Amino acid sequence: MASSVTPTPLLKDELDIVIPTIRNLDFLEMWRPFFQPYHLIIVQDGDPSKVIKVPEGFDYELYNRNDINKILGPKSSCISFKDSACRCFGYMVSKKKYIFTIDDDCFVAKDPSGNDINALEQHIKNLLSPSTPFFFNTLYDPYREGADFVRGYPFSLCEGVPTAVSHGLWLNIPDYDAPTQLVKPRERNTRFVDAVLTIPKGTLFPMCGMNLAFDRELIGPAMYFGLMGDGQPIGRYDDMWAGWCMKVICDHLGLGVKTGLPYIWHSKASNPFVNLKKEYKGIYWQEELIPFFQGATLPKECTTAQSCYKELSKQVKAKLGKVDDYFNKLADAMLTWIEAWDELNPSTQLPDGK
Ligand SMILES: O=c1ccn([C@@H]2O[C@H](COP(=O)(O)OP(=O)(O)O[C@H]3O[C@@H](CO)[C@H](O)[C@H]3O)[C@@H](O)[C@H]2O)c(=O)[nH]1
Ligand SMILES: [Mn+2]
């Protein structure tokens, strides 16, 4: 007889969903079948006196700017205001092993067969299966049903490494920078590519924060989204900065980063002129930032995300401080972030604070 017991959703009590928002969260209605069993951490940006409406039936905690200031005190200076970068506060206060973060203008996409895509389920599959950063498998994810390692793949590498990050993609509005948005205002991503790839060791990538999951215990301390938004010279480089720091640290620690499935449906194109103002310094700074991250090496004594991140902060100050004083402030904020992280997560600290 078929069992009438509904299966417990995967990682139900080990994963938090983090949502940065400035608006009511009606978008959750479409995600209800997939998200309702999970705990939400809502990071309310902007005016803390505004009331954010959350649909009935969701288990959540909500933090506004007053809460962040109260919890972190002076250390709240490292959490951005009036920028989606504020989402990283949710990573810090979570007590779970896994995080999935999604923007409130991202909806359930359909696969080519017309089925709703459970993005959370796919991220969990990505995180729970190994990555292959040391040798590229040409048939994509070898651990996926119906695939495997191809001929010539060294057996010594078939075990793979733990996956730290799962980077999902977007149908409809692609995550383009402002110049590209201006040149191609009507371009929509209609291409569903049925693949999950490990990003090879030594290769950086532009990490987008709108459909992203990660192992908080492996790499959480490196997922700081930087100083963006109000009072800062740059915006919309929050996830990029985090992605570059994270990838250097994952490569050093032998952890994997995947990109590809799942897709979400990104519904709202943000204003390209506003975005250009936020991005423009980043567009030329990144020509110096990328070589810095490509050349960054971490000492073997750095064996935890915290110690790697503190070392990276020193190198940011030493090598990027001359690009712009902003990077001196960012390097300091990186240390404040780690101090705040360790304060809120004492159990993750090694005895010597390494
Ligand atoms: O000041 C703000 C503005 C927005 N938010 C919340 O952040 C996400 C993303 O906002 P939005 O969808 O309007 O912006 P996009 O340009 O599409 O976002 C992309 O830019 C990236 C860089 O920040 C971001 O990760 C991408 O998704 C929504 O949930 C807003 O409610 C905010 O908190 N504060
Ligand atoms: Mn958006």
Side-chain angles (χ1 to χ4, degrees):
M1 180 171 78
S3 152
S4 60
V5 178
T6 44
T8 308
L10 269 174
L11 301 181
K12 174 178 172 309
D13 299 319
E14 298 172 82
L15 179 141
D16 280 338
I17 300 175
V18 174
I19 305 166
T21 193
I22 50 174
R23 51 181 73 98
N24 292 332
L25 296 177
D26 307 327
F27 90 115
L28 286 172
E29 277 310 341
M30 193 175 191
W31 288 105
R32 189 181 289 276
F34 305 139
F35 288 5
Q36 183 147 19
Y38 295 88
H39 180 65
L40 311 181
I41 296 179
I42 300 161
V43 183
Q44 176 185 343
D45 195 16
D47 176 5
S49 66
K50 178 184 164 115
V51 175
I52 297 287
K53 290 198 187 80
V54 182
E56 288 296 314
F58 284 96
D59 170 52
Y60 70 92
E61 54 199 279
L62 183 143
Y63 297 94
N64 64 27
R65 192 68 208 187
N66 294 336
D67 301 318
I68 295 172
N69 294 341
K70 196 162 149 224
I71 292 165
L72 296 184
K75 294 192 179 69
S76 61
S77 61
C78 76
I79 303 297
S80 298
F81 185 55
K82 294 191 179 170
D83 189 283
S84 63
C86 65
R87 74 173 85 214
C88 62
F89 179 75
Y91 311 158
M92 188 191 283
V93 289
S94 169
K95 297 293 169 240
K96 303 289 175 57
K97 177 167 173 55
Y98 300 98
I99 294 286
F100 169 52
T101 187
I102 185 169
D103 290 3
D104 60 19
D105 64 342
C106 296
F107 293 83
V108 176
K110 292 195 181 295
D111 67 19
S113 318
N115 303 314
D116 283 353
I117 297 170
N118 182 346
L120 180 53
E121 185 183 58
Q122 181 63 47
H123 276 303
I124 291 172
K125 281 182 189 164
N126 291 350
L127 289 172
L128 294 184
S129 63
S131 294
T132 55
F134 304 125
F135 200 87
F136 188 76
N137 190 54
T138 49
L139 197 56
Y140 313 116
D141 180 357
Y143 305 100
R144 193 177 174 186
E145 194 63 37
D148 212 317
F149 291 98
V150 296
R151 179 170 54 86
Y153 202 96
F155 282 89
S156 59
L157 293 176
C158 285
E159 190 181 356
V161 301
T163 300
V165 174
S166 170
H167 178 263
L169 296 172
W170 348 270
L171 291 173
N172 194 38
I173 309 287
D175 188 20
Y176 285 165
D177 57 32
T180 310
Q181 271 185 289
L182 286 165
V183 168
K184 307 170 101 175
R186 279 181 296 283
E187 184 146 300
R188 297 293 179 265
N189 182 28
T190 59
R191 187 179 299 122
F192 179 97
V193 176
D194 184 8
V196 177
L197 294 172
T198 293
I199 301 174
K201 177 175 179 171
T203 301
L204 296 171
F205 75 110
M207 184 175 82
C208 170
M210 75 170 105
N211 172 21
L212 182 71
F214 60 90
D215 184 320
R216 190 174 160 277
E217 289 177 0
L218 289 179
I219 202 66
M223 296 296 269
Y224 174 47
F225 273 39
L227 291 173
M228 302 283 151
D230 197 41
Q232 302 300 338
I234 189 173
R236 288 171 56 83
Y237 271 82
D238 49 325
D239 38 10
M240 300 299 145
W241 180 263
W244 297 329
C245 292
M246 174 276 292
K247 189 62 170 60
V248 165
I249 292 170
C250 279
D251 286 351
H252 173 76
L253 295 177
L255 300 172
V257 178
K258 291 176 181 175
T259 188
L261 299 178
Y263 284 89
I264 50 87
W265 179 268
H266 186 206
S267 68
K268 189 179 68 66
S270 39
N271 181 304
F273 294 102
V274 170
N275 289 347
L276 188 56
K277 275 194 208 137
K278 293 180 179 179
E279 288 173 17
Y280 82 92
K281 287 199 170 185
I283 291 175
Y284 64 80
W285 279 346
Q286 69 185 9
E287 297 306 329
E288 303 210 43
L289 301 183
I290 300 303
F292 162 75
F293 283 105
Q294 283 169 330
T297 54
L298 298 169
K300 63 180 182 344
E301 296 73 27
C302 295
T303 56
T304 62
Q306 279 95 329
S307 55
C308 291
Y309 205 74
K310 285 190 267 192
E311 172 58 28
L312 205 48
S313 156
K314 277 188 217 150
Q315 295 183 26
V316 166
K317 179 159 273 193
K319 297 182 181 170
L320 296 179
K322 52 182 174 290
V323 173
D324 189 282
D325 188 47
Y326 168 74
F327 293 102
N328 289 315
K329 295 191 182 92
L330 183 53
D332 293 341
M334 290 167 74
L335 294 181
T336 306
W337 160 263
I338 292 293
E339 285 160 16
W341 181 285
D342 288 342
E343 215 170 86
L344 267 62
N345 299 279
S347 58
T348 61
Q349 257 203 95
L350 296 174
D352 56 1
K354 283 238 187 269

